[in-house]
């Protein structure tokens, strides 16, 4: 079994990837998407999206980081992919699932699922351009408005030359509203010859067991659930290896929260980034931990970065 940390724009950035892979349980993570339009990105741009490139495409914990591309200009995507490889990228994922209206308006992400032939051409163009040793994978939703083209799109990705596929078990229109249709991941896995990773609505160990059984997949991607419960991947790995799982107590989680804030300060301590990221995270975690709700209420009105840090260290779980 494999656990993969999902790419989520504005949420699983390099600092969150660093932290969650330190906590443990993940076998791989994927960068936020790098949008490809009419330009060819420079090395600083690639490093901004995936600083892991400078560390052999691994997080500080040694977990491999795949770089994800989003776009619809197949030729320019191929040119950019080759540049990324020159700078050290060793695996590329293609985004056919982003539901953001701005992205879709510019012919990126899930909007492409209306045109399976176009999906095929993008994958095939990238695969033909890349060196044989560079893995190329894809991530898709079940469709745009409906699921009528789900199997056709999955087959387009596989036949285009991708070596693996991740399926978020919702359409674009369904967004992130429950339920995720795990049974559709099984249908897709049975329709293609490449490995399939299931994604969608894994917030607890029980959800993980459910998605494995219903989808038939051993490889699972976790997104929001890993942010809400930062030890979720570790719990799952422990359960798979030992038959039981122990949840991390909040006083230990608090130490990770403090480290996260320090990592944010190290990245961009001169602006609102550390406070915004901390408050965003606590706002999500309070769904699972009453202590996170109390901590969120404590730091929410504070604007000064040093005062926030002091509040974090003064807080008692």
């Amino acid at each position: 079994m494999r656990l993969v940390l999902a790419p989520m724009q504005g949420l699983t950035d390099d600092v969150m990837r660093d932290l969650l892979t330190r906590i443990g349980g993940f076998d791989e993570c994927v960068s936020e998407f790098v949008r490809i339009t009419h330009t060819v990105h420079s090395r600083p741009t690639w490093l901004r999206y995936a600083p892991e490139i400078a560390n052999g495409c691994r997080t500080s914990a040694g977990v491999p980081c795949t770089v994800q591309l989003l776009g619809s200009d197949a030729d320019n995507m191929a040119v950019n992919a080759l540049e990324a490889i020159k700078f050290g990228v060793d695996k590329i994922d293609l985004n056919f699932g982003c539901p953001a209206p701005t992205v879709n308006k510019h012919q990126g992400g899930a909007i492409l699922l209306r045109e399976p032939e176009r999906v095929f051409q993008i994958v095939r163009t990238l695969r033909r351009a890349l060196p044989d040793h560079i893995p190329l994978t894809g991530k898709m939703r079940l469709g745009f408005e409906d699921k009528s083209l789900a199997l056709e799109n999955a087959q387009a990705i596989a036949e285009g030359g991708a070596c693996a596929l991740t399926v978020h078990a919702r359409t674009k229109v369904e967004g992130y509203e429950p339920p995720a249709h795990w049974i559709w991941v099984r249908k897709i896995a049975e329709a293609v010859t490449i490995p399939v990773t299931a994604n969608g609505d894994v917030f607890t160990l029980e959800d993980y067991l459910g998605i494995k059984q219903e989808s038939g997949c051993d490889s699972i991607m976790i997104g929001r659930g890993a942010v809400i419960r930062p030890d979720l991947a570790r719990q799952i790995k422990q359960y798979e290896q030992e038959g039981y799982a122990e949840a991390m107590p909040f006083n230990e989680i608090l130490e990770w929260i403090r480290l996260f804030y320090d990592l944010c300060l190290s990245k961009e301590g001169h602006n609102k980034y550390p406070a915004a990221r901390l408050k965003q995270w606590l706002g999500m975690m309070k769904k699972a931990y009453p202590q996170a709700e109390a901590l969120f209420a404590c730091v929410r009105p504070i604007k000064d970065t040093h005062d926030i840090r002091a509040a974090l260290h003064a807080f008692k779980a």
Side-chain angles (χ1 to χ4, degrees):
M1 53 82 67
R2 296 179 69 256
L3 294 179
V4 185
L5 177 60
M8 294 178 288
Q9 202 70 7
L11 186 57
T12 50
D13 66 356
D14 59 296
V15 178
M16 185 61 79
R17 295 193 299 269
D18 183 2
L19 188 91
L20 293 179
T21 55
R22 290 192 200 205
I23 292 172
F26 286 108
D27 301 290
E28 181 184 355
C29 60
V30 184
S31 75
E32 298 168 284
F33 65 72
V34 182
R35 188 177 300 187
I36 308 298
T37 54
H38 59 282
T39 59
V40 179
H41 293 313
S42 63
R43 186 173 186 270
T45 299
W46 293 106
L47 288 173
R48 185 168 74 248
Y49 285 100
E52 295 92 342
I53 294 170
N55 188 43
C57 288
R58 293 178 179 270
T59 67
S60 62
V63 174
C65 180
T66 296
V67 173
Q68 187 181 78
L69 307 187
L70 178 146
S72 56
D73 183 337
D75 291 331
N76 200 37
M77 290 175 74
V79 171
N80 271 278
L82 289 171
E83 283 294 292
I85 291 165
K86 184 171 72 176
F87 300 133
V89 170
D90 58 9
K91 183 177 180 181
I92 289 175
D93 184 66
L94 300 177
N95 182 317
F96 298 110
C98 180
T102 302
V103 168
N104 294 165
K105 181 180 178 182
H106 291 90
Q107 298 300 299
I111 192 76
L112 294 166
L113 298 174
R114 288 175 166 176
E115 303 177 73
E117 177 60 28
R118 199 173 180 190
V119 169
F120 170 78
Q121 292 294 342
I122 291 171
V123 179
R124 185 174 69 169
T125 299
L126 270 289
R127 183 63 274 169
R128 287 181 172 179
L130 297 178
D132 291 343
H133 70 280
I134 299 295
L136 178 68
T137 61
K139 185 172 189 283
M140 60 173 275
R141 282 177 173 254
L142 296 179
F144 195 81
E145 294 93 350
D146 57 49
K147 306 172 184 65
S148 60
L149 296 175
L151 301 184
E152 194 172 343
N153 277 303
Q155 289 165 342
I157 292 171
E159 292 168 9
C163 63
L165 171 65
T166 298
V167 180
H168 181 134
R170 295 183 179 89
T171 65
K172 183 274 179 190
V173 171
E174 289 169 338
Y176 295 96
E177 291 297 315
H181 308 286
W182 297 337
I183 193 64
W184 270 91
V185 183
R186 179 183 287 273
K187 293 178 182 179
I188 288 171
E190 292 171 349
V192 297
T193 57
I194 58 176
V196 173
T197 297
N199 173 227
D201 278 5
V202 179
F203 295 100
T204 64
L205 173 61
E206 290 72 24
D207 292 336
Y208 163 78
L209 296 173
I211 196 173
K212 271 190 71 176
Q213 180 176 8
E214 197 162 338
S215 71
C217 296
D218 289 325
S219 180
I220 307 296
M221 177 176 278
I222 308 175
R224 291 171 298 152
V227 177
I228 294 170
R229 297 182 187 274
D231 68 328
L232 179 57
R234 195 166 82 174
Q235 285 186 45
I236 291 169
K237 271 293 168 67
Q238 183 183 22
Y239 180 85
E240 289 282 8
Q241 293 169 358
E242 303 175 23
Y244 71 96
E246 294 180 354
M248 184 187 296
F250 193 79
N251 61 349
E252 185 178 346
I253 293 174
L254 182 59
E255 292 301 317
W256 290 108
I257 293 171
R258 290 166 178 158
L259 174 60
F260 176 76
Y261 189 67
D262 286 344
L263 291 170
C264 289
L265 285 173
S266 297
K267 180 182 178 180
E268 294 185 37
H270 58 284
N271 57 30
K272 297 179 180 179
Y273 171 80
R277 292 290 284 122
L278 174 68
K279 293 173 186 179
Q280 177 194 35
W281 190 22
L282 291 175
M284 294 182 68
M285 288 178 66
K286 67 183 184 180
K287 299 173 184 177
Y289 305 100
Q291 302 95 324
E293 185 169 12
L295 181 54
F296 178 71
C298 176
V299 302
R300 185 177 185 180
I302 307 174
K303 296 182 179 179
D304 181 81
T305 55
H306 299 292
D307 290 345
I308 291 175
R309 191 172 189 275
L312 287 177
H313 285 270
F315 186 81
K316 303 297 181 183

